[in-house]
Amino acid sequence: SYELTQPPSVSVSPGQTARITCSGEALPKKYAFWYQQKSGQAPVLVISEDNKRPSGIPERFSGSSSGTVATLTISGAQVDDEADYYCYSADSAGTYWVFGGGTRLTVL
Amino acid sequence: EVQLLESGGGLVQPGGSLRLSCEGTGFTLINFAMTWVRQAPGKGLEWVASITGTGHGTYYSDSVKGRFTISRDNSRNTLYLQMTSLRPEDTAVYYCARGVTTVTMFIDYWGRGTLVPVSS
C-alpha cells in the first residue's frame, strides 16, 4: 500500500495565508490533487495536477509541489474556506490510489 | 453539466451483499475512468476501487480486495460496485467519482453519495 501524510488541523485568522502540506514518497513522480469538503457535502476539486486551478475556484487557492511534499496555499483565507482538505495521489506504479488523512482548516 | 447519481445504498447485515449503481449524465462514460470512494462516519475519504474507461483495468484497495467488484456498462452510462461479505467497518457514505481521462484515476467530479450501514 501507500500513504500520504497531512497535518490534522491548521488554524489562521481571516486574511492570513493558510498552508496545508501533503507528504508522500511518490510525489516527485505523481501529481497531487486537492479537494475541499464542507460539512455534509461531497468533496470539490480545488487544485489539479499540483498547481492548476479549475474553473470557478477563487484565485486565492494555489498549489505547489517540491520533492516529496505538495502544498495547498490559501492566500487571504476567508471564513467561507473553513472545511476539510484532502490531497490525493497514487503510488509510483499508478495502481494504488490514496487520500491523505485530511486537514481541518479553521478560519477565525 | 456533469452529474453523477448513486443509488442502491441501505441497511445490510454483516456478511450480506449489496450492489451500488452510479448513473452519469452530461458526458460519455466510456471516455473516463471511474472510481468509488467511501467515507465512514466522522472519518476521512478512503479510495475503494477504480476502473478504466474500457473496463479492462480494475484496481482495489487492500481493505476491499476479494470482496468488492467494480464494473461498468458504458451502453447504460452506469458504474457499479458489487459488495459481498460486508463488515461493520464497511459502513460509510459511498461516492461515485469521475476520472480526468480514460486511464487516469485522478478525480474531477463527485456524486452526492449513498449511505451503506452494515449492522445487525
Side-chain angles (χ1 to χ4, degrees):
Chain A
S1 63
Y2 177 54
E3 292 184 1
L4 295 173
T5 302
Q6 297 180 233
S9 63
V10 167
S11 182
V12 297
S13 300
Q16 288 188 328
T17 295
R19 293 183 179 86
I20 299 172
T21 59
C22 171
S23 62
E25 289 184 355
L27 289 178
K29 302 178 184 178
K30 296 297 183 186
Y31 288 129
F33 275 46
W34 290 92
Y35 303 93
Q36 176 195 68
Q37 186 181 35
K38 295 184 177 180
S39 181
Q41 299 183 18
V44 171
L45 177 65
V46 294
I47 292 291
S48 66
E49 295 183 359
D50 291 344
N51 55 23
K52 294 181 170 59
R53 194 175 54 250
S55 173
I57 300 301
E59 290 185 7
R60 63 181 180 274
F61 288 85
S62 64
S64 62
S65 188
S66 178
T68 59
V69 180
T71 303
L72 172 68
T73 300
I74 307 172
S75 304
Q78 300 182 4
V79 173
D80 187 56
D81 298 331
E82 281 202 340
D84 294 324
Y85 292 85
Y86 296 89
C87 60
Y88 177 60
S89 190
D91 66 357
S92 56
T95 59
Y96 200 90
W97 295 77
V98 292
F99 288 92
T103 299
R104 175 149 297 177
L105 175 65
T106 301
V107 183
L108 53 75
Chain B
E1 181 190 6
V2 172
Q3 291 193 341
L4 298 165
L5 182 62
E6 301 94 339
S7 61
L11 180 64
V12 60
Q13 292 189 338
S17 299
L18 201 64
R19 188 178 82 158
L20 305 182
S21 301
C22 170
E23 182 181 5
T25 58
F27 68 103
T28 303
L29 197 74
I30 195 171
N31 293 332
F32 298 91
M34 297 295 293
T35 291
W36 287 99
V37 176
R38 69 184 181 184
Q39 187 169 35
K43 302 297 185 182
L45 302 173
E46 179 187 9
W47 172 72
V48 173
S50 296
I51 186 168
T52 57
T54 60
H56 293 157
T58 57
Y59 309 92
Y60 298 92
S61 68
D62 291 342
S63 60
V64 307
K65 190 176 294 184
R67 299 188 299 125
F68 291 11
T69 302
I70 189 171
S71 63
R72 61 195 297 157
D73 184 342
N74 289 330
S75 67
R76 296 177 182 268
N77 246 38
T78 302
L79 174 74
Y80 302 102
L81 185 68
Q82 179 68 48
M83 303 185 293
T84 64
S85 302
L86 282 161
R87 306 165 180 168
E89 55 264 37
D90 295 317
T91 294
V93 172
Y94 284 74
Y95 293 102
C96 162
R98 193 186 82 165
V100 297
T101 71
T102 55
V103 295
T104 304
M105 314 308 174
F106 285 115
I107 295 164
D108 57 2
Y109 286 95
W110 300 71
R112 294 190 173 187
T114 186
L115 178 62
V116 177
V118 182
S119 174
S120 54

